[in-house]
Amino acid sequence: MSTISNEENNTSSYMKRLNGSLILSLDIIKHTFLAKDLNEVLRGVNDNLKKVLVKRLEGYHLRVDECYLLKDITFKDLPALLMAAFFLRIKKKGRRLSFSKKVFIPLTNLCRNYCKYCGFRKDPWSGGRFLKPNEVLEVAKLGEKYGCHEALFTLGEKPEERYVEARRQLASMGYKNTIEYLRDMCELVLSKTNLFPHSNPGILEKDELEILREVNVSMGLMLENVSMRLCGKGG
């Protein structure tokens, strides 16, 4: 009973702290955007931070050490940073927001990598597979029906390098590798719908980029880290 009681107390204490943080954050945001001008928000901010914010608002670039001041900002000074960012956005971009509706086409959830956080990838024995061309087109046309403008091809990275089953599935459709198949599926969507393909196929060689460039308006890469230290033992 005492263990349960302690867990309940710990949970209750955590929730109180969490709620307190949320309320504080909401108060900060409310204060920031109800303020009449930046000077009102800057009142009470420490001098070093104030100089950095004013410098950037005047159009000057910040030094590295000045950027570190922003990294270590406190809740107390957060309204000033938010307001400065707000003014800069309005100055550079205006108030108009734009977006492009896209439909996700999961070409394959097979992948050669094992990223621990990924909930998308599957092994062949757990349901991992490639979409067939008719399935790709079905998803694309459904997206087009609901007003999408882009076809976002999501897929694992070169699963044929890890799985015999991936190579078998590709071969059954007449392909040697994932990039060749992706290229043709992008072309299929381009020719049969009004959608613009955008692919996220992972790390590519130059010739692979050139192949996909012909049938993509843009491409993306999820870059988690570039630290060589993480490639070492224990990284």
mmCIF file of all heavy atoms in Angstrom, residues 216-235:
data_model
loop_
_atom_site.group_PDB
_atom_site.id
_atom_site.type_symbol
_atom_site.label_atom_id
_atom_site.label_comp_id
_atom_site.label_asym_id
_atom_site.label_seq_id
_atom_site.Cartn_x
_atom_site.Cartn_y
_atom_site.Cartn_z
ATOM 1 N N ASN A 216 10.366 14.968 -59.287
ATOM 2 C CA ASN A 216 10.034 15.530 -57.975
ATOM 3 C C ASN A 216 10.155 17.048 -58.003
ATOM 4 O O ASN A 216 11.109 17.581 -58.576
ATOM 5 C CB ASN A 216 10.980 14.985 -56.897
ATOM 6 C CG ASN A 216 10.564 13.625 -56.382
ATOM 7 O OD1 ASN A 216 9.823 13.510 -55.413
ATOM 8 N ND2 ASN A 216 11.034 12.582 -57.049
ATOM 9 N N VAL A 217 9.207 17.720 -57.364
ATOM 10 C CA VAL A 217 9.336 19.175 -57.235
ATOM 11 C C VAL A 217 10.269 19.526 -56.083
ATOM 12 O O VAL A 217 10.844 20.613 -56.040
ATOM 13 C CB VAL A 217 7.963 19.843 -57.016
ATOM 14 C CG1 VAL A 217 7.088 19.674 -58.238
ATOM 15 C CG2 VAL A 217 7.266 19.305 -55.769
ATOM 16 N N SER A 218 10.424 18.596 -55.143
ATOM 17 C CA SER A 218 11.326 18.795 -54.009
ATOM 18 C C SER A 218 11.570 17.443 -53.352
ATOM 19 O O SER A 218 10.832 16.483 -53.577
ATOM 20 C CB SER A 218 10.736 19.780 -52.990
ATOM 21 O OG SER A 218 9.473 19.331 -52.528
ATOM 22 N N MET A 219 12.619 17.384 -52.540
ATOM 23 C CA MET A 219 12.922 16.166 -51.794
ATOM 24 C C MET A 219 13.367 16.543 -50.390
ATOM 25 O O MET A 219 13.834 17.662 -50.152
ATOM 26 C CB MET A 219 14.010 15.349 -52.499
ATOM 27 C CG MET A 219 13.524 14.629 -53.745
ATOM 28 S SD MET A 219 14.782 13.568 -54.501
ATOM 29 C CE MET A 219 15.663 14.783 -55.490
ATOM 30 N N GLY A 220 13.214 15.607 -49.455
ATOM 31 C CA GLY A 220 13.558 15.906 -48.073
ATOM 32 C C GLY A 220 14.416 14.820 -47.456
ATOM 33 O O GLY A 220 14.471 13.685 -47.934
ATOM 34 N N LEU A 221 15.100 15.183 -46.375
ATOM 35 C CA LEU A 221 15.927 14.234 -45.635
ATOM 36 C C LEU A 221 15.809 14.547 -44.152
ATOM 37 O O LEU A 221 15.964 15.699 -43.736
ATOM 38 C CB LEU A 221 17.393 14.347 -46.063
ATOM 39 C CG LEU A 221 18.400 13.523 -45.254
ATOM 40 C CD1 LEU A 221 18.169 12.034 -45.487
ATOM 41 C CD2 LEU A 221 19.830 13.903 -45.623
ATOM 42 N N MET A 222 15.497 13.530 -43.350
ATOM 43 C CA MET A 222 15.451 13.704 -41.900
ATOM 44 C C MET A 222 16.867 13.567 -41.349
ATOM 45 O O MET A 222 17.401 12.469 -41.231
ATOM 46 C CB MET A 222 14.529 12.665 -41.261
ATOM 47 C CG MET A 222 13.068 12.879 -41.562
ATOM 48 S SD MET A 222 12.017 11.623 -40.799
ATOM 49 C CE MET A 222 12.349 11.921 -39.053
ATOM 50 N N LEU A 223 17.481 14.685 -41.047
ATOM 51 C CA LEU A 223 18.854 14.694 -40.537
ATOM 52 C C LEU A 223 18.808 14.828 -39.020
ATOM 53 O O LEU A 223 18.444 15.876 -38.487
ATOM 54 C CB LEU A 223 19.636 15.856 -41.152
ATOM 55 C CG LEU A 223 21.101 15.977 -40.747
ATOM 56 C CD1 LEU A 223 21.875 14.745 -41.182
ATOM 57 C CD2 LEU A 223 21.720 17.232 -41.334
ATOM 58 N N GLU A 224 19.155 13.763 -38.319
ATOM 59 C CA GLU A 224 19.071 13.768 -36.861
ATOM 60 C C GLU A 224 20.307 14.382 -36.211
ATOM 61 O O GLU A 224 20.210 15.119 -35.238
ATOM 62 C CB GLU A 224 18.889 12.332 -36.345
ATOM 63 C CG GLU A 224 17.648 11.631 -36.874
ATOM 64 C CD GLU A 224 16.373 12.324 -36.444
ATOM 65 O OE1 GLU A 224 16.378 12.986 -35.393
ATOM 66 O OE2 GLU A 224 15.376 12.223 -37.166
ATOM 67 N N ASN A 225 21.487 14.067 -36.747
ATOM 68 C CA ASN A 225 22.709 14.549 -36.126
ATOM 69 C C ASN A 225 23.872 14.371 -37.096
ATOM 70 O O ASN A 225 23.861 13.451 -37.907
ATOM 71 C CB ASN A 225 22.986 13.779 -34.828
ATOM 72 C CG ASN A 225 23.839 14.575 -33.862
ATOM 73 O OD1 ASN A 225 24.985 14.892 -34.152
ATOM 74 N ND2 ASN A 225 23.277 14.909 -32.710
ATOM 75 N N VAL A 226 24.863 15.251 -37.009
ATOM 76 C CA VAL A 226 26.046 15.132 -37.865
ATOM 77 C C VAL A 226 27.310 14.939 -37.023
ATOM 78 O O VAL A 226 28.419 15.057 -37.523
ATOM 79 C CB VAL A 226 26.214 16.376 -38.768
ATOM 80 C CG1 VAL A 226 25.073 16.466 -39.760
ATOM 81 C CG2 VAL A 226 26.310 17.659 -37.945
ATOM 82 N N SER A 227 27.136 14.630 -35.755
ATOM 83 C CA SER A 227 28.278 14.467 -34.862
ATOM 84 C C SER A 227 29.008 13.156 -35.145
ATOM 85 O O SER A 227 28.423 12.076 -35.072
ATOM 86 C CB SER A 227 27.812 14.482 -33.399
ATOM 87 O OG SER A 227 28.877 14.142 -32.538
ATOM 88 N N MET A 228 30.302 13.234 -35.459
ATOM 89 C CA MET A 228 31.101 12.035 -35.685
ATOM 90 C C MET A 228 31.288 11.248 -34.389
ATOM 91 O O MET A 228 31.525 10.044 -34.408
ATOM 92 C CB MET A 228 32.465 12.418 -36.268
ATOM 93 C CG MET A 228 32.393 13.001 -37.677
ATOM 94 S SD MET A 228 31.538 11.904 -38.846
ATOM 95 C CE MET A 228 32.674 10.512 -38.866
ATOM 96 N N ARG A 229 31.171 11.934 -33.255
ATOM 97 C CA ARG A 229 31.319 11.266 -31.959
ATOM 98 C C ARG A 229 30.285 10.157 -31.793
ATOM 99 O O ARG A 229 30.566 9.103 -31.211
ATOM 100 C CB ARG A 229 31.163 12.292 -30.836
ATOM 101 C CG ARG A 229 31.241 11.695 -29.434
ATOM 102 C CD ARG A 229 31.045 12.763 -28.374
ATOM 103 N NE ARG A 229 29.773 13.438 -28.520
ATOM 104 C CZ ARG A 229 28.614 12.923 -28.079
ATOM 105 N NH1 ARG A 229 28.581 11.739 -27.490
ATOM 106 N NH2 ARG A 229 27.494 13.603 -28.234
ATOM 107 N N LEU A 230 29.087 10.380 -32.337
ATOM 108 C CA LEU A 230 28.023 9.392 -32.196
ATOM 109 C C LEU A 230 28.283 8.136 -33.024
ATOM 110 O O LEU A 230 27.633 7.113 -32.823
ATOM 111 C CB LEU A 230 26.683 10.010 -32.602
ATOM 112 C CG LEU A 230 26.195 11.165 -31.716
ATOM 113 C CD1 LEU A 230 24.886 11.711 -32.239
ATOM 114 C CD2 LEU A 230 26.031 10.707 -30.274
ATOM 115 N N CYS A 231 29.230 8.222 -33.959
ATOM 116 C CA CYS A 231 29.567 7.050 -34.774
ATOM 117 C C CYS A 231 30.557 6.137 -34.056
ATOM 118 O O CYS A 231 30.798 5.007 -34.487
ATOM 119 C CB CYS A 231 30.163 7.492 -36.117
ATOM 120 S SG CYS A 231 29.008 8.423 -37.149
ATOM 121 N N GLY A 232 31.131 6.627 -32.975
ATOM 122 C CA GLY A 232 32.119 5.839 -32.249
ATOM 123 C C GLY A 232 31.490 4.881 -31.259
ATOM 124 O O GLY A 232 30.272 4.849 -31.069
ATOM 125 N N LYS A 233 32.311 4.109 -30.612
ATOM 126 C CA LYS A 233 31.849 3.138 -29.631
ATOM 127 C C LYS A 233 31.165 3.849 -28.468
ATOM 128 O O LYS A 233 31.691 4.803 -27.908
ATOM 129 C CB LYS A 233 33.032 2.318 -29.117
ATOM 130 C CG LYS A 233 32.628 1.196 -28.173
ATOM 131 C CD LYS A 233 33.838 0.376 -27.757
ATOM 132 C CE LYS A 233 33.431 -0.750 -26.814
ATOM 133 N NZ LYS A 233 34.595 -1.565 -26.392
ATOM 134 N N GLY A 234 29.974 3.383 -28.137
ATOM 135 C CA GLY A 234 29.229 3.994 -27.042
ATOM 136 C C GLY A 234 28.470 5.238 -27.432
ATOM 137 O O GLY A 234 27.772 5.848 -26.621
ATOM 138 N N GLY A 235 28.584 5.653 -28.714
ATOM 139 C CA GLY A 235 27.892 6.855 -29.167
ATOM 140 C C GLY A 235 26.423 6.622 -29.311
ATOM 141 O O GLY A 235 25.620 7.476 -29.155
#
